[in-house]
Amino acid sequence: MPYCQKCGTEIREEMAFCPKCGAPLKAEQPPVEAAPAPAPQMAEKAEKREKREKEEKREKTEKHEKREFGVIGPLVGGLILVFLGLTSYLQVSGLLRTEVASALFFIIIGIIIVVGSIYAALMASRRHPRT
Amino acid sequence: MFPEERSSDIFQPIVGSWYESLENPEKSQRLVLLNLVKEYEKTRYGKNHHASEIKEVTDYRAKFPIMNYQRLHPYLAEIQKGDYANILPEPLACWVMTRGSTGPAKVLPATKTHLEQIFTCGARALVNYVLRKRDFKLLTGKILNLNFPSNVHTTVIGGQTVTYGYSSGTYARLNPMLDKVSLLPRQEEIDALGPGITKADWEKRFELVYQQAANENVTATMGVTPVILSFARYVKKKHGKSPKEFWNLRALFCTSVRKIQFKYARSLRRYFGQVPVVEIYSATEGVFAQQLDDLPYITPNYDKYFFEVETGQGTKMLHELKRGEWGKLIISSCMFPRYDIGDIIEAAGNNYFRVVGRHTMLTLLEHGLYRLFFRWFV
Ligand SMILES: [Zn+2]
């Protein structure tokens, strides 16, 4: 039974309920009880994976922060805050859907960072002109 | 309805132990953990993780892994087959579901103790508000019920067909505390309009609320925050006037989403007038915290749930966080040990906290930059 009968969403075997619409999915396979040990093991494995992911994430954030820590740090932060305020205002007033907002968010953040670093590079080369 | 002089008798069971726990969160949390562990001992999951050997918070952290909704799925499948004791300390009372506007649907079991806690904690924001402001008039009027329907799907458990639906509506329908106040409309009337959540379905519901309430003395709203807001917009659009022109509301009790004070409060006041917005931090998994006073923060229900936070410097107890510290909230309840609710929480000092948002890259980035930005100026 790989699909929900109510809404057609693809489902995984161990699921008890459809992740899209919440409809119950009758489990026809034999109970998992037969093997009581795997569940905690699986949980541990998943935990390890999560730990690794988290570490990677932290590294990324650190790198990210270091890059931002120039003169343009506050500037970029400010621009992002202004933009965040704007998007959440638009979201609340129903003019912008959440998915659109987050996509837009990443695009604009990207642009801000790119423009910011180009600007910083320009300023730096002006301060230390190559002879 | 509630004679003022008898108020403490009626309200004490609802807010008494909460107020006490705020005096000494550490003591209260220790007590809650020891009681919870005793319950977990009854489940196979708890036995597999040696719940009986736990004496201290550190033991608990060492023996129980953090779980989340995804990892709960195999256990839910077994509960559905009638085997609750695999993970639940007591029998299943009902199923409840949730669907965020963006997130996927979640279906979760509810036990008797869980429901009792939801009812007590769900009434706390209202009772605390009435007691603190001595605003007993709030209880003499009608309270608008703006929740989701509680009858959506059916499932078969142990040969019996069971109906379940959205948690907000289910909790509103079952809550005996809300019988004492006049909810308008009653949850059964909302359910009678069917389970749909399309725009047309909501408009049907909103029209029902409006028709019933138009000529009544409405003193408050209680329900899912975006629903309250959509209702206000509907009334303005269809009937040409803002709710503030129909009713003299005394407070808005808002549940189920993050950033109520920072994102929704202003829009709500535009339609409902300059009324206090009272935040309740709730999810299908429980009612975890609510606003204590006029400050735009929430204060945890230390007496019912056990709170931990995964911060950049390791796992800490929620009450240990200093102002400005933040991380991923992990909640142990009467149903699940160490459940990752998926939210980021930040301490504001004392017993005040703020839920920053869902635990996503977007929120982390946003919050990281927010803190980065403010470190330069504050
Ligand atoms: Zn489905």
Side-chain angles (χ1 to χ4, degrees):
Chain A
M1 218 177 29
Y3 296 98
C4 169
Q5 293 181 328
K6 270 262 158 57
C7 72
T9 300
E10 203 172 333
I11 47 184
R12 290 203 314 276
E13 264 185 20
E14 82 278 11
M15 287 181 163
F17 297 93
C18 169
K20 179 100 188 295
C21 73
L25 311 166
K26 276 215 196 83
E28 252 124 38
Q29 302 83 20
V32 199
E33 284 161 295
Q41 264 176 11
M42 250 157 57
E44 264 169 38
K45 236 184 237 166
E47 206 185 4
K48 266 186 206 150
R49 193 186 334 121
E50 205 185 53
K51 232 182 229 166
R52 204 172 50 233
E53 276 169 11
K54 215 168 49 202
E55 263 163 30
E56 279 170 18
K57 213 181 263 176
R58 201 185 303 143
E59 261 174 44
K60 271 185 210 156
T61 328
E62 265 170 27
K63 271 184 205 152
H64 194 84
E65 280 183 15
K66 263 180 210 149
R67 208 188 312 147
E68 308 265 274
F69 255 111
V71 193
I72 56 160
L75 182 76
V76 169
L79 281 172
I80 287 167
L81 273 191
V82 168
F83 179 71
L84 270 178
L86 207 72
T87 42
S88 54
Y89 172 77
L90 289 175
Q91 260 171 273
V92 169
S93 50
L95 294 171
L96 199 61
R97 278 183 310 134
T98 314
E99 309 92 86
V100 181
S102 40
L104 217 85
F105 174 82
F106 283 114
I107 292 169
I108 303 275
I109 295 286
I111 293 173
I112 290 174
I113 291 172
V114 168
V115 170
S117 39
I118 290 173
Y119 178 74
L122 277 177
M123 292 305 277
S125 69
R126 210 181 283 175
R127 253 181 265 126
H128 310 280
R130 258 176 281 174
T131 44
Chain B
M1 182 175 279
F2 285 108
E4 202 167 324
E5 61 278 11
R6 282 195 51 234
S7 63
S8 64
D9 302 350
I10 300 165
F11 295 143
Q12 198 55 31
I14 297 173
V15 289
S17 66
W18 181 42
Y19 292 161
E20 245 171 66
S21 74
L22 299 182
E23 303 282 318
N24 192 344
E26 192 187 343
K27 187 177 146 211
S28 167
Q29 286 283 272
R30 216 187 115 77
L31 216 71
V32 166
L33 177 65
L34 293 179
N35 285 329
L36 284 178
V37 166
K38 251 182 245 156
E39 292 300 305
Y40 300 153
E41 276 174 35
K42 297 176 189 167
T43 68
R44 282 208 293 288
Y45 183 85
K47 287 188 186 107
N48 286 343
H49 289 87
H50 313 283
S52 57
E53 295 162 26
I54 291 165
K55 302 273 176 293
E56 290 301 327
V57 176
T58 44
D59 302 337
Y60 182 54
R61 279 186 195 149
K63 292 194 191 316
F64 278 80
I66 291 168
M67 61 151 77
N68 59 22
Y69 186 67
Q70 279 297 316
R71 281 176 221 159
L72 213 53
H73 258 294
Y75 301 101
L76 297 186
E78 294 192 19
I79 297 171
Q80 207 191 6
K81 282 177 217 144
D83 176 22
Y84 72 84
N86 200 29
I87 185 103
L88 296 179
E90 41 179 332
L92 177 85
C94 63
W95 291 97
V96 286
M97 63 182 281
T98 178
R99 172 143 73 174
S101 47
T102 53
K106 269 196 224 169
V107 183
L108 283 159
T111 61
K112 189 165 161 276
T113 308
H114 170 72
L115 290 174
E116 280 167 7
Q117 289 182 349
I118 295 256
F119 302 153
T120 306
C121 298
R124 272 181 183 172
L126 193 139
V127 166
N128 173 60
Y129 181 86
V130 168
L131 285 178
R132 193 170 45 83
K133 298 265 181 181
R134 314 301 300 166
D135 186 2
F136 295 89
K137 276 210 183 100
L138 191 146
L139 298 170
T140 61
K142 308 282 184 198
I143 295 177
L144 294 188
N145 176 18
L146 291 162
N147 284 308
F148 281 56
S150 71
N151 57 338
V152 177
H153 290 301
T154 56
T155 183
V156 178
I157 297 161
Q160 280 188 317
T161 307
V162 187
T163 304
Y164 63 97
Y166 295 103
S167 53
S168 63
T170 310
Y171 297 152
R173 174 168 53 81
L174 298 174
N175 196 342
M177 315 271 179
L178 294 179
D179 266 1
K180 292 182 190 148
V181 299
S182 318
L183 274 194
L184 202 71
R186 288 178 303 111
Q187 189 62 35
E188 287 83 352
E189 296 173 287
I190 293 179
D191 289 352
L193 293 179
I197 52 170
T198 64
K199 191 162 179 256
D201 292 314
W202 278 115
E203 294 201 335
K204 253 192 323 192
R205 251 167 242 140
F206 290 156
E207 189 56 32
L208 173 80
V209 178
Y210 172 79
Q211 291 300 340
Q212 288 201 1
N215 297 311
E216 294 281 353
N217 168 34
V218 176
T219 49
T221 68
M222 176 77 127
V224 179
T225 315
V227 176
I228 298 177
L229 189 55
S230 304
F231 170 72
R233 290 203 180 107
Y234 171 83
V235 169
K236 172 93 183 167
K237 208 172 96 191
K238 277 277 148 60
H239 300 281
K241 279 187 198 172
S242 278
K244 64 183 172 196
E245 296 169 76
F246 289 103
W247 305 297
N248 212 345
L249 289 161
R250 310 178 82 89
L252 309 174
F253 298 95
C254 299
T255 70
S256 309
V257 293
R258 325 294 173 242
K259 301 187 185 182
I260 288 168
Q261 294 295 351
F262 294 85
K263 201 166 153 183
Y264 290 94
R266 274 186 58 120
S267 309
L268 286 168
R269 289 201 183 98
R270 200 163 61 227
Y271 292 102
F272 289 98
Q274 285 307 312
V275 287
V277 171
V278 182
E279 176 166 3
I280 301 172
Y281 173 39
S282 66
T284 307
E285 291 89 339
V287 178
F288 304 124
Q290 56 279 323
Q291 214 171 308
L292 179 66
D293 47 35
D294 293 333
L295 296 174
Y297 298 109
I298 49 162
T299 299
N301 290 314
Y302 286 127
D303 59 326
K304 304 283 183 200
Y305 304 92
F306 182 77
F307 300 97
E308 296 168 277
V309 182
E310 272 197 330
T311 71
Q313 294 89 44
T315 309
K316 297 183 181 181
M317 303 277 291
L318 180 63
H319 66 79
E320 288 172 352
L321 294 197
K322 298 199 176 61
R323 189 184 169 87
E325 277 191 288
W326 58 285
K328 198 161 75 162
L329 186 60
I330 310 291
I331 299 172
S332 301
S333 71
C334 64
M335 293 200 299
F336 310 124
R338 306 199 81 201
Y339 181 89
D340 174 3
I341 189 81
D343 283 327
I344 300 289
I345 195 161
E346 185 186 60
N350 295 321
N351 292 319
Y352 296 115
F353 297 90
R354 180 167 87 85
V355 177
V356 174
R358 302 295 296 164
H359 184 250
T360 59
M361 269 315 274
L362 182 66
T363 312
L364 289 176
L365 188 68
E366 175 187 333
H367 194 66
L369 287 166
Y370 169 85
R371 295 212 57 86
L372 180 76
F373 181 63
F374 277 98
R375 271 210 299 265
W376 287 78
F377 291 98
V378 185

